[in-house]
Amino acid sequence: MDADASEESSTGPYRVTMLDLGRFVVGAVTVMAALAGLILGIRAELYAGREDQRAEKAEQRAAAEESRSKEDREKAYANLVDFYRMGSEVIVVNGSSRVMAMRLTLPASKVTWDLDLLQPCKQIAVPNKALLDSMAVEEPSVRLTEGDLVQLRLEFMDPMSKAWIRNSGGALARRDAWAPSGQPTLVSSEAWNMSAQDAPQCDGS
């Protein structure tokens, strides 16, 4: 009985000592510090990710602005050239301060009316009938009607040697080269080609 009592006494209820409490506190602090470090690490990664996204977006905006600025510079002269219909005639305008080589074309029929160099701040009015008559005289084999002129477009080369196309609806597009495709007919001796007037776009310039 005495041996049993002694064994029971040695394995009795465990008492928490100050040393144990200290170890627990140290362990808890270590775990909390690790969790805090993990949380801070995650937040730092998220912040860095957001910063990277902001930097990427800023770079994209800067690239887009630069692209637009470059495009605006390239179109500086082209935007000053106009081409539109007014009743039964076509109006061609050079609203810039530089001469430009220009021509009216019908790609489907492979014919061209050469406007030569339209002077700065000048415009010409070309009657549809005059276009048809001049082409009939120069090239009798070319059969055109006024309905064909709906597809008429203006091709021109700006002072930077860039070729452009503008249709009568106002749309502007770059052309790869000034030389036309196929074998267009050139007509440059029409009276209307020699009667340019002042372009209102240049008033006050």
Side-chain angles (χ1 to χ4, degrees):
M1 293 292 293
D2 292 341
D4 292 341
S6 176
E7 183 178 350
E8 182 179 350
S9 175
S10 63
T11 60
Y14 180 78
R15 291 192 179 92
V16 178
T17 65
M18 290 299 294
L19 181 60
D20 293 332
L21 185 60
R23 288 174 179 169
F24 174 77
V25 171
V26 170
V29 170
T30 301
V31 171
M32 291 177 63
L35 288 174
L38 179 62
I39 292 172
L40 289 175
I42 292 174
R43 291 182 62 184
E45 289 182 3
L46 291 174
Y47 178 79
R50 287 195 295 269
E51 286 298 307
D52 288 343
Q53 290 178 352
R54 280 196 286 267
E56 184 178 355
K57 288 180 180 178
E59 289 178 1
Q60 290 174 350
R61 285 196 297 270
E65 288 294 333
E66 183 178 354
S67 176
R68 282 196 294 270
S69 178
K70 181 180 178 182
E71 184 179 357
D72 289 342
R73 288 195 301 271
E74 288 183 345
K75 289 184 175 181
Y77 285 106
N79 284 331
L80 297 174
V81 172
D82 207 354
F83 169 53
Y84 58 93
R85 296 183 182 281
M86 184 68 71
S88 60
E89 61 185 11
V90 172
I91 310 297
V92 179
V93 182
N94 177 9
S96 82
S97 60
R98 305 286 290 275
V99 296
M100 294 198 197
M102 297 185 178
R103 57 190 171 215
L104 295 170
T105 66
L106 278 177
S109 302
K110 295 184 179 180
V111 294
T112 297
W113 292 264
D114 192 349
L115 307 183
D116 295 326
L117 296 175
L118 187 55
Q119 296 299 309
C121 294
K122 295 293 183 178
Q123 69 178 34
I124 57 174
V126 189
N128 289 347
K129 186 177 184 303
L131 286 174
L132 298 176
D133 290 348
S134 63
M135 188 59 69
V137 170
E138 295 290 335
E139 289 293 334
S141 62
V142 176
R143 307 286 182 172
L144 295 177
T145 66
E146 193 157 342
D148 295 320
L149 300 182
V150 173
Q151 304 301 322
L152 200 66
R153 70 185 189 184
L154 178 71
E155 296 181 8
F156 60 98
M157 184 168 62
D158 68 20
M160 307 304 293
S161 298
K162 292 183 175 65
W164 300 87
I165 298 170
R166 191 182 287 280
N167 64 37
S168 59
L172 179 69
R174 276 294 304 275
R175 183 178 174 85
D176 293 336
W178 175 239
S181 59
Q183 298 293 328
T185 302
L186 300 179
V187 179
S188 59
S189 58
E190 295 83 351
W192 44 261
N193 200 28
M194 308 299 293
S195 58
Q197 300 176 345
D198 291 339
Q201 285 88 334
C202 293
D203 284 349
S205 61

